[in-house]
Amino acid sequence: MPGPAAGTAHAATTTDVVCLGESMVTFLPSQPGRLADVPSFGRGIGGAESNVACALAAAGHLAAWVGRVGADGFGDHLVETIAGYGVDTSAVRRDPDRPTGIYFRTATDRGAGAHEVAYYRAGSAASAMSPSNVPYGEVFAGRILHLSGITAALSADCLELLRELTAPRQGRPLVSFDVNHRPHLWRGGDASVLLELARRADLVFVGEDEAEEAWGIVGAEAIRAALPEPSVLVVKRGSAGATVFASGLRPGPRSSNAGGAEDAAAGTGSGDTVTVVPALHVDVVAAVGAGDAFAAGFLSATLRGLPVRDRVRHGHLMAAAVLTVPGDLTEPPARDHADRLAALDDGAWGRLRLGPGWTAADRAPEEVRTS
């Protein structure tokens, strides 16, 4: 993936996806072990929405990131690095009074008991985002607006902003919402608000595990019953793959929300088309950033008008690219390479096993199939 470029990427005439949320400077350990024992850290960036924007830009789409950072060196690093991936950062605002958020993490899997994360984001510039200081013209400029539940947990003002952005309105772009339930952010708060926000979106990503943890809802069908409004609901089921419930865009005020991504739903009428797509076999290097990459792959295929099955497969492939490298971001497979893999029959798809280096442009499907 390209490195940071000097200056800021500039807006194009028509943006494909606008991603709004907090991005932070990440400090990654130089070796495994407790945070108390790690002697040094390397600097990176982290943020669900900016990760999606960077992945989409690397995949050839016009992506923008809207956020708020401090008027400090960490803010400079974030803006310059994200712009270096080809993302439009012209709508990012600088806060002279609040710092850019940072965090430190251990090298272990996020789901492991030994995993530690130390956040220094309370009172950050991003937590001051509100309905009164976000540039709505830029936020609504894309075919798709991508949001996540992380933003809703940052502050009362951020929650009100998400309520405002997901409210039905004429000309609203298709709203994509990744639930992204982070339990540590909701201590003392009510994560049920994520269900409210998801019901107001057009396209929703949610994991079975987080739906159970946040809402006490178990199973893909039960999640759909609790979220009947979104035209497309993607239930991520870990190693079991993903189940997609898709219906026709509903009439009334919500029908105008489809904007420039009218083909986001595969079904028609009020009934669902249900599509189940198995996950890939992946030799995991680091289990970070996969959810954001999956969303980027699915959105990329949605923008291209691909069938629902192929949208999920592109999500799995984009996630596999990140899972086979140490960091949250990487160069995705070339589009024609990913298209060839996504078009495999079910048997060949099930036999794929992807490991480090599989995204190399000169690799044919047969060369990554090892099982």
Side-chain angles (χ1 to χ4, degrees):
M1 224 168 185
T8 299
H10 296 289
T13 304
T14 303
T15 302
D16 291 323
V17 182
V18 175
C19 303
L20 178 145
E22 180 175 34
S23 190
M24 294 179 290
V25 171
T26 311
F27 289 94
L28 309 173
S30 57
Q31 64 185 45
R34 303 182 309 153
L35 286 178
D37 300 328
V38 174
S40 60
F41 296 80
R43 186 179 63 177
I45 65 169
E49 300 84 1
S50 58
N51 283 348
V52 171
C54 289
L56 284 166
H61 297 284
L62 299 174
W65 172 59
V66 178
R68 194 172 180 88
V69 300
D72 51 31
F74 288 143
D76 293 342
H77 176 65
L78 279 174
V79 174
E80 291 168 5
T81 302
I82 294 169
Y85 287 113
V87 176
D88 172 12
T89 58
S90 60
V92 175
R93 298 295 186 259
R94 308 301 292 264
D95 191 319
D97 302 314
R98 298 175 180 84
T100 303
I102 64 172
Y103 73 97
F104 298 77
R105 68 171 174 85
T106 53
T108 52
D109 186 333
R110 180 179 288 157
H115 185 68
E116 298 175 73
V117 182
Y119 287 99
Y120 299 90
R121 75 197 308 177
S124 70
S127 70
M129 289 190 294
S130 75
S132 65
N133 62 20
V134 163
Y136 284 88
E138 288 90 340
V139 170
F140 290 132
R143 297 170 62 192
I144 296 175
L145 171 62
H146 181 71
L147 308 168
S148 96
I150 294 173
T151 305
L154 298 181
S155 67
D157 281 344
C158 284
L159 173 56
E160 285 308 307
L161 173 62
L162 284 203
R163 283 181 167 140
E164 178 73 15
L165 295 179
T166 57
R169 67 176 70 213
Q170 187 67 29
R172 188 187 83 175
L174 184 144
V175 173
S176 165
F177 183 74
D178 191 337
V179 170
N180 254 330
H181 177 241
R182 297 288 185 265
H184 66 275
L185 290 176
W186 290 100
R187 290 173 187 152
D190 183 6
S192 66
V193 72
L194 296 176
L195 188 62
E196 169 201 333
L197 294 170
R199 293 183 66 178
R200 294 153 67 108
D202 302 298
L203 164 59
V204 173
F205 300 95
V206 62
E208 274 191 323
D209 55 346
E210 60 185 350
E212 182 174 3
E213 187 171 29
W215 309 323
I217 300 173
V218 180
E221 291 76 15
I223 295 170
R224 181 52 162 172
L227 287 167
E229 294 87 355
S231 300
V232 179
L233 171 65
V234 183
V235 180
K236 298 177 290 183
R237 302 168 55 225
S239 61
T243 299
V244 180
F245 300 87
S247 65
L249 293 174
R250 292 165 173 77
R254 293 179 61 84
S255 66
S256 64
N257 297 346
E262 300 88 348
D263 60 350
T268 58
S270 59
D272 274 333
T273 297
V274 182
T275 305
V276 179
V277 181
L280 288 162
H281 300 287
V282 180
D283 297 327
V284 176
V285 173
V288 293
D292 303 331
F294 179 91
F298 192 96
L299 291 174
S300 173
T302 295
L303 287 162
R304 296 171 59 202
L306 300 184
V308 170
R309 186 206 68 169
D310 291 359
R311 298 179 195 195
V312 180
R313 285 188 171 188
H314 276 277
H316 285 322
L317 290 165
M318 194 83 85
V322 169
L323 287 169
T324 50
V325 298
D328 290 29
L329 293 167
T330 188
E331 185 77 25
R335 182 172 290 185
D336 61 346
H337 185 193
D339 283 344
R340 289 197 304 272
L341 295 179
L344 292 172
D345 61 49
D346 290 346
W349 177 263
R351 291 191 297 273
L352 280 178
R353 188 178 191 99
L354 305 180
W358 76 267
T359 59
D362 57 349
R363 286 199 172 188
E366 292 75 14
E367 293 177 292
V368 296
R369 187 182 302 136
T370 61
S371 64

